[in-house]
């Protein structure tokens, strides 16, 4: 399944590669004899404007797992996989308004560093190890594998060589230049990936429309794959490949309303709010306002992403299933054997790129794919080195390390991470939808991440011991549910694990005797707004729990049990708001946050309202 790149394709792609490396090395150059500081290397010297923050966030996020993995899930399941993008757009509003301002105010470099200041070194180290394992063994490996799969299917590059080449290419400027090189090349990368992605989408839609244009193509796409345009997937209605030659229920990957009531919120909040290689872009903003605006900008880009990565997957499904090989041969004017087949869902985008994107433009489209891959790998490499250096090396090995030693440590650990990824990535070749692999295995830690970070940010009662035991229980609880309920969709499983972790954190926190005076304690009526809000959330949580119990059996086929996670979340919010002002003592390291920090200007509020409205309308039109 070789694409047969033309000379023009190679020229276009080569120009892209040279430009990216040149930009990365140029923006991160140092004056002669001047050594980079840790802030310059790990936080781009806090110089990013709002548009650079937003562009870099999306470039780091959109990767091979989207162009290849999400397109593969679009091919297998359909538009439902866009929930990860559209729920993320709303999540970015929450992160911009409530999380990022606190992190910026505290001047932190890494997420584990925040945990050390809020709890203690034990909690910080536990999460530092969590993130390092996920970045190296899940993120770096999966993204490099999917990128290499594209190289193999489109250009005929052997898988192992493709993995090595992509990792080295992304490491050239990220290891040398640090976050500054990563962020500013991301601005270029996001332009290339969106432009090239749109070209591929438009050409695919034109092909589905028999040359009558993209609107005719969209109409034919909807008509020819109506079952693929469903956001809420019921149990037993859509069967997809399981990666080992059989079929499985798509409900396993997207369990009905769990995408709006359950574990998908944990995935998105954990990823966008507390994931180092994502939030690091916000931490490098020039100001809190630039950070907030950057995340709103990223939210609008997230709404656009399914057009680039899901629609092509559905188009590939229609083209290969609704047309005979002979019809495709006539349409493309090539021999049948040259068209190839789609044996795995993740081969959909490379197949489309190979057959329906003409010479010259194919080089641009592949540059877009490469931009997505390389920008994400570069961000992951940089964040891996940042967490190891600031939370392991500086804490345990060399507390007095100077800037030169910190930067050198970051570069060394980045090289080691690349070598490990080169060895592990080829092992993913047996999977059908690598995007789902990423979601499931990061899902083992996100319930604990969200519980510990959110409580640490906003609850005065949670203690270091409670946070530590919540972190320790996270993975074993996930594994236990996987063993005991192997057929339970992982998004539902995450919800139940989250409920257990909330209980663990609450029990330990309340059990520990505290002597520190709660500075927010209100004895008589003052703080009434918090109390009113607490009663509202407590009642809402109870109502949701009752609804779950009453309608559990009636709506089990659409994953209605996910409402129990939302009920627990609302009850916990009520408990947090109530105890923050009504308990006399608190954890001595609890945060005092000025509410003014959460104020947002009219442009932000209008932008946030626009995102919510668009997402609600999309769900309304494509619900079931």
């Amino acid at each position: 399944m070789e694409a047969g790149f033309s000379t023009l394709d190679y020229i276009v792609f080569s120009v892209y590669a040279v430009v990216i490396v040149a930009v990365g090395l140029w923006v991160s150059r140092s004056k002669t004899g001047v050594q980079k500081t840790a802030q310059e290397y790990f936080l781009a010297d806090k110089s990013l404007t709002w548009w650079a923050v937003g562009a870099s966030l999306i470039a780091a996020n959109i990767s091979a797992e989207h162009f290849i993995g999400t397109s593969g899930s679009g091919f297998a399941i359909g538009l439902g996989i866009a929930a990860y993008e559209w729920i993320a757009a709303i999540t970015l509003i929450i992160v911009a308004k409530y999380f990022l301002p606190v992190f910026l105010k505290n001047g932190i470099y890494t997420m584990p560093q925040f945990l050390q200041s809020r709890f203690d070194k034990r909690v910080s180290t536990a999460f530092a190890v969590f993130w390092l394992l996920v970045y190296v063994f899940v993120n770096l490996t999966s993204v490099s594998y999917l990128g290499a799969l594209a190289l193999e299917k489109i250009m005929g590059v052997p898988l192992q060589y493709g993995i090595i080449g992509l990792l080295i290419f992304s490491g050239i400027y990220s290891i040398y230049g640090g976050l500054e090189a990563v962020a500013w090349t991301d601005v270029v990368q996001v332009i290339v990936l969106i432009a090239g992605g749109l070209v591929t989408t438009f050409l695919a839609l034109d092909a589905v429309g028999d040359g009558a244009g993209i609107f005719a193509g969209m109409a034919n796409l909807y008509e020819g794959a109506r079952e693929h345009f469903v956001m809420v997937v019921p149990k037993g209605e859509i069967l997809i490949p399981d990666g080992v030659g059989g079929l499985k229920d798509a409900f396993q990957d997207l369990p009905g309303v769990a995408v709006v009531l359950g574990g998908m919120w944990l995935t998105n909040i954990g990823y966008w709010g507390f994931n180092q290689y994502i939030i690091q872009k916000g931490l490098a903003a020039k100001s809190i306002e630039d950070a907030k605006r950057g995340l709103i900008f990223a939210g609008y880009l997230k709404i656009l992403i399914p057009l680039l990565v899901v629609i092509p997957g559905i188009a590939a499904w229609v083209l290969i299933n609704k047309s005979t090989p002979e019809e495709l041969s006539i349409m493309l004017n090539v021999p049948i054997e040259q068209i190839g087949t789609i044996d795995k869902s993740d081969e959909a985008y490379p197949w489309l790129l190979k057959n329906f994107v003409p010479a010259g433009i194919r080089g641009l489209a592949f540059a877009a794919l490469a931009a997505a891959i390389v920008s994400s790998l570069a961000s992951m490499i940089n964040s891996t080195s940042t967490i190891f250096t600031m939370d392991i090396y500086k804490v345990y090995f060399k507390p007095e390390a100077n800037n030169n030693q910190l930067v050198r440590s970051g570069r060394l650990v980045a090289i080691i991470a690349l070598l490990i990824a080169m060895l592990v990535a080829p092992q993913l070749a047996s999977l059908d939808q690598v995007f789902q692999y990423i979601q499931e295995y990061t899902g083992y830690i996100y319930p604990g991440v969200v519980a510990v970070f959110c409580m640490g940010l906003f609850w005065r009662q949670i203690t270091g011991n409670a946070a530590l035991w919540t972190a320790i229980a996270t993975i074993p609880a996930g594994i236990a549910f996987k063993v005991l309920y192997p057929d339970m969709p992982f998004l539902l499983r995450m919800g139940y694990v989250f409920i257990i972790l909330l209980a663990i954190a609450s029990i330990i926190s309340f059990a520990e005797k505290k002597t520190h005076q709660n500075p927010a304690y209100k004895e008589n009526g003052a703080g009434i707004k918090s109390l009113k809000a607490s009663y509202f959330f407590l009642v809402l949580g109870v109502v949701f729990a009752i609804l779950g119990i009453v309608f559990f059996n009636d709506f089990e086929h659409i994953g209605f049990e996910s409402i129990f996670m939302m009920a627990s979340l609302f009850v916990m919010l009520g408990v947090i708001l109530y105890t923050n002002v009504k308990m006399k003592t608190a954890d001595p390291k609890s945060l005092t946050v000025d509410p003014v920090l959460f104020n947002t200007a009219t442009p932000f509020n209008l932008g946030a309202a626009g995102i919510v409205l668009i997402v609600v309308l999309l769900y309304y039109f494509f619900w079931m």
Side-chain angles (χ1 to χ4, degrees), residues 248-308:
K248 69 175 183 178
D249 192 345
F251 184 82
Q252 292 296 115
D253 293 332
L254 292 172
V257 295
V259 298
V260 291
L261 291 178
M264 190 166 286
W265 286 103
L266 301 179
T267 296
N268 276 299
I269 292 174
Y271 180 87
W272 292 101
F274 312 120
N275 185 343
Q276 180 66 28
Y277 84 83
I278 293 296
I279 202 69
Q280 191 166 346
K281 310 303 189 302
L283 297 178
K286 291 174 66 174
S287 66
I288 291 178
E289 284 306 310
D290 276 288
K292 290 178 178 178
R293 290 173 187 169
L295 265 65
I296 289 293
F297 176 43
Y300 280 98
L301 292 178
K302 286 300 285 181
I303 293 174
L304 175 69
I305 294 306
L307 184 62
L308 309 183

Side-chain angles (χ1 to χ4, degrees), residues 215-228:
F215 294 108
M218 200 67 203
N220 288 356
L221 192 70
Y222 186 78
E223 183 181 343
R226 178 64 186 86
E227 68 278 14
H228 274 59

Side-chain angles (χ1 to χ4, degrees), residues 68-244:
I68 306 299
T70 308
S71 287
S73 293
F75 178 88
I77 301 173
L79 191 64
I81 200 67
Y84 281 101
E85 312 306 313
W86 293 339
I87 297 298
I90 296 178
T91 304
L92 281 164
I93 300 171
I94 298 171
V95 174
K97 186 172 177 65
Y98 295 110
F99 299 167
L100 196 52
V102 180
F103 295 145
L104 286 168
K105 191 71 174 176
N106 285 273
I108 63 170
Y109 280 73
T110 70
M111 292 297 96
Q113 185 183 354
F114 166 77
L115 293 176
Q116 181 170 346
S117 64
R118 172 60 181 89
F119 297 114
D120 54 45
K121 192 160 63 175
R122 302 169 305 161
V123 180
S124 169
T125 302
F127 278 95
V129 172
F130 275 178
W131 284 129
L132 289 174
L133 291 175
V134 169
Y135 289 159
V136 175
F137 290 100
V138 177
N139 293 127
L140 279 175
T141 54
S142 59
V143 172
S144 59
Y145 162 75
L146 286 171
L149 177 66
L151 286 174
E152 183 180 52
K153 297 300 179 183
I154 298 170
M155 300 177 70
V157 177
L159 187 71
Q160 184 66 60
Y161 293 144
I163 290 170
I164 294 172
L166 286 170
L167 287 168
I168 290 176
F169 180 59
S170 57
I172 288 173
Y173 65 87
S174 63
I175 293 174
Y176 170 74
L179 185 63
E180 190 169 30
V182 172
W184 290 109
T185 54
D186 279 351
V187 175
V188 180
Q189 306 259 42
V190 83
I191 295 171
V192 174
L193 73 87
I194 289 177
L198 284 174
V199 166
T200 304
T201 299
F202 291 161
L203 290 170
L205 289 174
D206 187 59
V208 174
D210 298 321
I214 60 173
F215 294 108
M218 200 67 203
N220 288 356
L221 192 70
Y222 186 78
E223 183 181 343
R226 178 64 186 86
E227 68 278 14
H228 274 59
F229 284 87
V230 172
M231 291 303 298
V232 174
V233 178
K235 184 185 292 186
E237 290 195 9
I238 301 176
L239 295 178
I240 59 175
D242 62 2
V244 291

Side-chain angles (χ1 to χ4, degrees), residues 262-485:
M264 190 166 286
W265 286 103
L266 301 179
T267 296
N268 276 299
I269 292 174
Y271 180 87
W272 292 101
F274 312 120
N275 185 343
Q276 180 66 28
Y277 84 83
I278 293 296
I279 202 69
Q280 191 166 346
K281 310 303 189 302
L283 297 178
K286 291 174 66 174
S287 66
I288 291 178
E289 284 306 310
D290 276 288
K292 290 178 178 178
R293 290 173 187 169
L295 265 65
I296 289 293
F297 176 43
Y300 280 98
L301 292 178
K302 286 300 285 181
I303 293 174
L304 175 69
I305 294 306
L307 184 62
L308 309 183
V309 298
V310 181
I311 296 300
I314 302 174
W317 186 89
V318 169
L319 288 166
I320 206 164
N321 286 286
K322 301 295 183 178
S323 304
T324 65
E326 291 75 19
E327 288 172 335
L328 286 174
S329 177
I330 294 170
M331 183 190 302
L332 295 167
N333 196 27
V334 297
I336 291 176
E337 59 274 12
Q338 188 176 322
I339 297 172
T341 59
I342 299 176
D343 299 318
K344 292 182 177 181
S345 300
D346 283 343
E347 294 176 0
Y349 197 86
W351 180 85
L352 204 63
L353 202 59
K354 166 187 177 285
N355 288 300
F356 293 91
V357 180
I361 296 178
R362 187 180 295 134
L364 174 64
F366 191 69
L369 175 59
I373 296 164
V374 170
S375 59
S376 291
L377 289 174
S379 292
M380 293 167 188
I381 292 166
N382 181 259
S383 290
T384 300
S385 67
T386 302
I387 287 180
F388 180 85
T389 301
M390 304 306 293
D391 299 305
I392 304 294
Y393 175 75
K394 194 174 190 302
V395 172
Y396 290 100
F397 296 103
K398 208 168 186 68
E400 72 285 359
N402 57 34
N403 282 317
N404 183 42
Q405 291 168 324
L406 292 175
V407 172
R408 188 168 63 236
S409 166
R411 288 172 173 162
L412 178 61
V413 78
I415 293 170
I416 294 171
L418 288 180
L419 294 174
I420 294 172
M422 288 177 191
L423 296 173
V424 176
Q427 311 307 315
L428 304 184
S430 62
L431 299 175
D432 180 73
Q433 295 180 66
V434 173
F435 183 78
Q436 299 297 348
Y437 158 81
I438 298 168
Q439 302 308 323
E440 177 159 7
Y441 283 91
T442 54
Y444 279 105
I445 70 164
Y446 278 141
V449 168
V450 174
V452 170
F453 273 95
C454 287
M455 288 183 175
L457 280 166
F458 303 114
W459 196 25
R460 291 186 173 276
Q461 296 301 312
I462 188 170
T463 64
N465 286 331
L468 179 64
W469 283 106
T470 301
I472 291 172
T474 300
I475 292 179
I479 293 173
F481 265 90
K482 176 73 170 176
V483 171
L484 294 173
Y485 304 100

